[in-house]
Structure formats: structure tokens, C-alpha cells
Amino acid sequence: MRGRISRSSSWESSTLAREVSTVELPWYIAGIIRAILDGILMGSLFALMAVGLTIVYRVTQVANFAHAEYVTYGAYAAYVFAVTLEFGMIGGAVAALVIPGILAVVNDELVFKPLWRRGSTPLHFLVASIGSGLILRYSLLAFAASVATEFLKIRLPVFPKAIYQIGGIVPVTYVHLLAPAVGVAATVLLHLLFTRTKLGKAMRATASNPTLARITGINIFLIRRVTWFIGGALAGIAGYIYAYYTPANPETGWFFLLWIFAAAIMGGFTFYGTIISGILLGIIGNVTMFIANQTVGLSTSYQPAIALVVLVAVLLWRPEGVIRLQSLSLRTRA
């Protein structure tokens, strides 16, 4: 079989069995392996997105529904700089980090910080985040529609199709390696930041008790800006990688919103718990969808329902989180 199985239509191909009948691996084994590989890829992206949300929530107590839009802006920023302005892959990666990071800081300065100064409740933050998310999403949609039709669906230059074939049929591409590698690198860098630097320790102190942190001389407003920038940058780089994997559009981030919150809640809004939860959700979602499609013919368009089921189950069964790994980076507030 040529290329990779895409997330939207791969497992629904009626030619799958015929195409793989001449190779050593049975078609269903090949399908499972491919689902796991794509699940690791998507799970790594879910982890990057959700850990940014977790960091912001722990430090500022804002459950930001607009966080998903930073994923979309990261994909579009990368496309504009890498393709339109011809800055290349590295230029696109930098743009995907910086622009969503700055956008997140601006969003906090204009929306959430004024509400925080007025003593707003978590419900106020929640409603405000939904509103700001709508503004960001449809502003980008209006921009894309007004500039050119090609901006309504973008995809970054594709990596070589495969660097290895498992069983002669299941391709492993550079994107399958890039997503986990970036996830591991981000995890290591964040761990070093939180445990080995004064800035990271100040972030931990602010997350634990912002009032006490301010009394001890920590500039909690600077910490707040750094936190929002990191959260936006992580979401942006996930959008950048996703735009290499498959086409993105102005509503891509909205599609990931359930997955982001499912990973964060499943991980109990803890740093390592969120990362592990994101990867597990990616694998479970892809493998479950493949099996359901092949056994009962369920369309892959129902895949977001898996995140919804996980979200509801965790909230009903263990609202404190299923994989709740405490770390030095983000302790629960006293």
C-alpha cells in the first residue's frame, strides 16, 4: 500500500485487504501497527498541547478554552514563514513557537489579567476563554478567506514519504519520529527549567501560593507572562508538526479541544501525568477507531467521541485524575 493511512479516511479504504494480500504481514496486523504508530504521533502532539494548558492552569487557575486556537495559529504561522515568506523549515518552527506564545501573553494581558484583578471566579475565566477563542478562530478564518483560497486549507512541505517500511507495508516517516522527539525534548527542557533554574522555581512557588510568592519578592506578573508564553509556544509547535502530518484549517484547534482537556484532566493537571495521558489517548483513540471501523464499519469521523467518553468517565469516576504523577515542577496549591 502506498503512503500512510490518513486519519480521516485511511481505515475506510475498501482496497486495503487486496493491496496487502501479497505481503508477509496480514492486513489487520499491518493496520494495528499503523494505528499504533499514528497514535504515538498524535499522542505526542496531544501531550504538547495539554501540558501547555496544564502549566497555565496551575499558575493562573485559568482553564483556557482558547488554548486550542494557539495550535491553529502555530500551523498558520509556520506556513506563512516557511512557505509564503520562504524562511524554510527552521524559520517556520521559530514562528510557530514565538507567534502563538506572544498571542497567548496578549490574550492574558487583555482578557484574563483584568478579570483576575477584579477578583473574578473560575466561571468568569471559563466564559471569557470561550469568547476569546471564538474571536481568535473566526478572525483567522476571515483573514484566510480574504487573502487567498489556499489559506483555507494549508499543509507544510511534506517530508519524504517513508524512511522505513515495517513488514514491507507500514511506512515510518520523519513526522513519526519528529513528534515524539519534540515531545521528549520539550519534557526534558521543561523539567530542567522547573528544577534547575530560579525562574522555574519561581513558577513553582507561584503555582503553589501566589500570595506568598509575591510577599517573598517574586515578580508574579513576570512569571505569569512567561507561563502564558510557554503554554502558547507548546501549542504552536504542536500545530506546526501537525501541519506536516496532514492539512490544517482555521478550525483545526477546535477539533483538538476535547483531546487537550481529556489529556489534562486524565493526568490530574500534573506535569508528567498530562504527558503520559496525552500519549495514551493518542494510541487508544487510533487503535480503537481502527478496530471499530474494521469490525462494525464505524466511520473515523466519530473519533472525537472517544475523547468525550474519556473526559466524562474521568470526571465521574476519578475527577482528581487517573494518572496523577506529582512532580517538583507543579505541586498542588495549598
Side-chain angles (χ1 to χ4, degrees):
M1 182 166 47
R2 303 183 181 88
R4 60 169 179 80
I5 299 179
S6 67
R7 179 173 49 78
S8 60
S9 61
S10 55
W11 302 319
E12 296 172 356
S13 175
S14 60
T15 62
L16 179 61
R18 294 197 301 272
E19 290 180 348
V20 302
S21 60
T22 59
V23 301
E24 295 181 2
L25 283 178
W27 68 268
Y28 52 89
I29 298 296
I32 289 290
I33 293 175
R34 181 163 298 182
I36 293 174
L37 286 175
D38 286 350
I40 293 173
L41 188 159
M42 291 306 303
S44 300
L45 299 185
F46 294 156
L48 283 172
M49 301 171 197
V51 78
L53 176 68
T54 293
I55 293 171
V56 169
Y57 176 76
R58 280 300 184 189
V59 175
T60 67
Q61 290 294 287
V62 176
N64 184 20
F65 273 60
H67 185 80
E69 308 309 324
Y70 308 145
V71 177
T72 311
Y73 275 80
Y76 272 82
Y79 182 83
V80 169
F81 277 79
V83 178
T84 306
L85 301 180
E86 299 182 351
F87 280 96
M89 178 180 175
I90 296 178
V94 173
L97 285 167
V98 174
I99 292 179
I102 294 175
L103 183 63
V105 173
V106 172
N107 197 18
D108 178 50
E109 293 290 335
L110 296 180
V111 179
F112 301 113
K113 187 184 289 185
L115 289 174
W116 175 73
R117 289 181 182 276
R118 292 178 173 86
S120 298
T121 66
L123 179 60
H124 293 118
F125 291 136
L126 179 65
V127 174
S129 71
I130 294 173
S132 60
L134 288 171
I135 292 172
L136 290 173
R137 186 184 320 141
Y138 290 107
S139 294
L140 181 60
L141 179 61
F143 168 78
S146 63
V147 172
T149 306
E150 65 180 89
F151 278 89
L152 292 175
K153 180 176 286 189
I154 60 167
R155 185 171 185 177
L156 292 168
V158 182
F159 284 108
K161 289 186 177 181
I163 57 176
Y164 183 72
Q165 294 278 350
I166 299 176
I169 181 174
V170 182
V172 179
T173 69
Y174 282 114
V175 186
H176 286 95
L177 302 181
L178 179 64
V182 172
V184 170
T187 302
V188 172
L189 291 175
L190 287 172
H191 176 80
L192 294 176
L193 170 67
F194 293 139
T195 59
R196 302 295 177 87
T197 68
K198 290 183 178 180
L199 176 62
K201 293 175 182 178
M203 291 175 66
R204 287 163 45 197
T206 304
S208 177
N209 193 321
T211 303
L212 183 58
R214 189 175 186 181
I215 293 174
T216 57
I218 295 176
N219 186 346
I220 64 171
F221 298 107
L222 174 62
I223 297 302
R224 189 182 181 104
R225 294 187 189 101
V226 171
T227 300
W228 278 93
F229 182 87
I230 292 174
L234 290 172
I237 198 67
Y240 165 74
I241 298 172
Y242 181 78
Y244 272 111
Y245 175 53
T246 192
N249 60 68
E251 293 189 336
T252 292
W254 172 251
F255 173 84
F256 289 128
L257 186 61
L258 276 176
W259 295 101
I260 295 171
F261 271 88
I265 293 174
M266 184 176 172
F269 281 99
T270 60
F271 180 61
Y272 298 115
T274 298
I275 293 170
I276 295 173
S277 297
I279 296 173
L280 286 177
L281 278 174
I283 297 173
I284 292 171
N286 274 37
V287 172
T288 301
M289 215 53 242
F290 170 77
I291 294 173
N293 177 261
Q294 293 299 320
T295 55
V296 298
L298 186 66
S299 171
T300 55
S301 61
Y302 289 99
Q303 189 167 353
I306 297 174
L308 181 60
V309 170
V310 170
L311 192 61
V312 172
V314 171
L315 289 174
L316 291 176
W317 176 46
R318 292 194 61 178
E320 71 277 11
V322 177
I323 305 174
R324 188 175 175 82
L325 300 181
Q326 294 294 347
S327 67
L328 290 173
S329 56
L330 296 168
R331 293 191 183 278
T332 304
R333 288 192 176 191

